[in-house]
């Protein structure tokens, strides 16, 4: 299921089907399905508190605080 509509779904909310039902996507690599700016491959940004924007397990890596 892709709750936030970013094209990346939550692996914990899945179904087996030949075609994705409404609200579901084939990609299940979203680590926060409540925020459309957070998904696997998103740009990491400096934020407070530190958020893993790109779902790689690291927080605010390669960013500069502004």
């Amino acid at each position: 299921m892709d709750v936030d509509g970013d094209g990346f779904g939550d692996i914990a909310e899945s179904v087996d089907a030949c075609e994705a039902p409404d609200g579901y996507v084939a990609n299940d690599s979203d680590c926060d399905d409540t925020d459309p700016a957070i998904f696997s491959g998103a740009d990491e940004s400096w934020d407070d508190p530190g958020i893993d924007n790109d779902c790689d397990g690291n927080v605010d890596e390669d960013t500069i605080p502004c």
Side-chain angles (χ1 to χ4, degrees):
M1 174 159 276
D2 180 18
V3 174
D4 59 14
D6 61 4
F8 297 84
D10 182 353
I11 194 167
E13 299 292 331
S14 64
V15 297
D16 289 325
C18 294
E19 294 184 26
D22 287 344
Y24 286 79
V25 293
N27 187 318
D28 64 2
S29 63
D30 202 334
C31 62
D32 182 349
D33 205 29
T34 63
D35 187 331
I38 299 174
F39 56 87
S40 180
D43 290 333
E44 187 69 47
S45 61
W46 183 267
D47 30 43
D48 185 30
I51 297 172
D52 183 12
N53 305 94
D54 59 4
C55 299
D56 69 354
N58 298 308
V59 176
D60 296 336
E61 74 275 8
D62 300 324
T63 60
I64 299 171
C66 298

